[in-house]
Amino acid sequence: MTKSIVCLQPLTPSQQAKIREAAPGYTLELGSAKEPDLQQLASAEIVIGWAKGVGEALLDGESQLRWVQSWSAGIDKMPLQCLQERGVLLTTASGVHAEPIAAVIFGFILSFTRNLHKAVLNQSKREWHSYGNETELSGKTAVIFGTGAIGGETARIAKAFRMKTVGVSRTGKPAAEFNEVFQISQWQDAVSQGDFVINTLPLTDDTHHLFNAAVFSAFKEGSYYINIGRGGTTHTGDLIEALQSGHIRGAGLDVFETEPLPQDHPLWGMEQVIITPHSAGNTDRYTDRIVDIITENLKSYIATGSPSLNKVDYSQQY
């Protein structure tokens, strides 16, 4: 019986060839996340990507599904409990986004320190105006929640600006590019140091509304908050209050509790906030990078029965 891989995302001929080469004995079929073919999916052993409504075919008793390779790093919208109960392996695209997201993070940081966001607004009004409060990054501290691929790349760049880097993770284990790392339970000791507090965390039961009034009140006066992780990790109302009070000087936000951000939302009107539309991870190199992850995982899966990269621990929800 032929074993089937179904990919719900578009692939170039060369990308298809790489996957087929890594998985001899398997067929590769291209599907569509927008219009998934449930009959096609019902016979798939491996599915690349996910889509609304595919659970009906993939999680019933007749399904051949053994492994899902997510097309994204975030998996909070996937049926994790059902996948776990079925014994389905799940891997993510973690690492694909590190370079573009780190670039966006520093886009926010440089805009705030050099008033570039205000300069763009002034240009649209043909106003020649300098604010006189521009600063530098040397000697500043970046506190980064999440010491994985995105956090590590951000810390590496911060070091090039001669910044101090403080990491926050579940374990608190030392990590490359970080001067020190705290456990997430020690958040107060970490955020109190930060000139910039950067949130790269996934959304889990433990991280939901982690950034709330208590945490924001522990921020250094006049610091900045950047969130490129998941919107649900932040209590939006508490963030707005901290911004309005001036305790937090500004925020760079790529993700929100409600997306798209409603047009009447107060964040739109705050000049100390820079908003991007959940686009920080976008890059023209995305598919090539995820295909590299897929091919390595396929080789491992065929050799050992388990993919080797980015395997999800269901107990941690990431």
Side-chain angles (χ1 to χ4, degrees):
M1 181 177 173
T2 304
K3 298 179 178 181
S4 172
I5 303 170
V6 175
C7 180
L8 295 173
Q9 297 290 335
L11 299 169
T12 65
S14 63
Q15 291 162 350
Q16 294 175 48
K18 287 186 70 173
I19 292 174
R20 290 191 175 100
E21 183 180 354
Y26 284 78
T27 63
L28 172 63
E29 300 178 40
L30 297 184
S32 169
K34 293 182 179 179
E35 298 180 357
D37 183 334
L38 299 187
Q39 186 174 356
Q40 177 192 53
L41 289 166
S43 60
E45 178 180 332
I46 302 168
V47 172
I48 301 169
W50 194 260
K52 185 178 181 180
V54 301
E56 177 184 340
L58 292 175
L59 298 174
D60 69 17
E62 302 299 319
S63 171
Q64 304 299 309
L65 185 66
R66 296 292 177 269
W67 166 31
V68 175
Q69 168 66 58
S70 171
W71 198 255
S72 66
I75 54 168
D76 48 280
K77 294 183 180 179
M78 296 182 69
L80 300 184
Q81 184 175 345
C82 292
L83 290 167
Q84 181 180 18
E85 290 172 353
R86 281 291 313 277
V88 176
L89 298 164
L90 176 61
T91 52
T92 74
S94 180
V96 169
H97 309 84
E99 290 188 33
I101 288 182
V104 170
I105 289 169
F106 270 89
F108 288 144
I109 289 174
L110 292 170
S111 291
F112 288 131
T113 55
R114 306 306 304 168
N115 283 326
L116 299 179
H117 58 310
K118 295 180 181 179
V120 170
L121 293 174
N122 289 340
Q123 181 179 346
S124 68
K125 296 180 289 186
R126 300 174 183 261
E127 290 184 3
W128 182 279
H129 180 68
S130 177
Y131 293 87
N133 63 346
E134 290 77 13
T135 185
E136 301 176 16
L137 293 181
S138 179
K140 298 288 196 302
T141 297
V143 175
I144 304 170
F145 279 70
T147 58
I150 296 170
E153 177 67 4
T154 303
R156 184 190 69 81
I157 296 171
K159 286 289 188 69
F161 281 99
R162 296 189 292 279
M163 299 177 74
K164 178 183 177 182
T165 57
V166 175
V168 182
S169 69
R170 182 174 56 85
T171 64
K173 291 181 180 178
E177 309 295 350
F178 290 91
N179 295 110
E180 58 182 324
V181 180
F182 291 91
Q183 285 186 299
I184 205 161
S185 60
Q186 300 171 297
W187 57 262
Q188 188 166 6
D189 294 328
V191 300
S192 62
Q193 300 184 46
D195 297 289
F196 301 91
V197 178
I198 301 159
N199 175 6
T200 77
L201 296 175
L203 179 61
T204 68
D205 292 342
D206 291 334
T207 64
H208 181 253
H209 282 180
L210 174 67
F211 287 87
N212 55 26
V215 176
F216 291 134
S217 67
F219 276 35
K220 180 190 291 189
E221 185 81 24
S223 58
Y224 295 90
Y225 176 61
I226 294 170
N227 187 11
I228 54 75
R230 281 294 184 266
T233 62
T234 300
H235 189 294
T236 306
D238 291 351
L239 172 61
I240 289 172
E241 289 184 9
L243 287 164
Q244 289 174 334
S245 72
H247 184 71
I248 295 178
R249 184 174 295 176
L253 306 174
D254 184 60
V255 291
F256 305 86
E257 291 190 84
T258 301
E259 295 181 357
L261 189 67
Q263 289 188 343
D264 60 352
H265 199 283
L267 284 171
W268 286 115
M270 303 182 79
E271 289 190 1
Q272 72 271 50
V273 175
I274 303 175
I275 292 171
T276 52
H278 202 146
S279 59
N282 293 357
T283 171
D284 55 357
R285 300 181 184 181
Y286 192 101
T287 303
D288 283 337
R289 287 177 179 155
I290 195 170
V291 167
D292 287 341
I293 292 171
I294 292 166
T295 53
E296 287 303 309
N297 273 341
L298 279 167
K299 293 173 185 176
S300 177
Y301 178 81
I302 291 169
T304 70
S306 179
S308 57
L309 301 176
N310 302 341
K311 188 174 175 180
V312 169
D313 179 345
Y314 285 111
S315 67
Q316 299 295 332
Q317 299 177 289
Y318 65 90

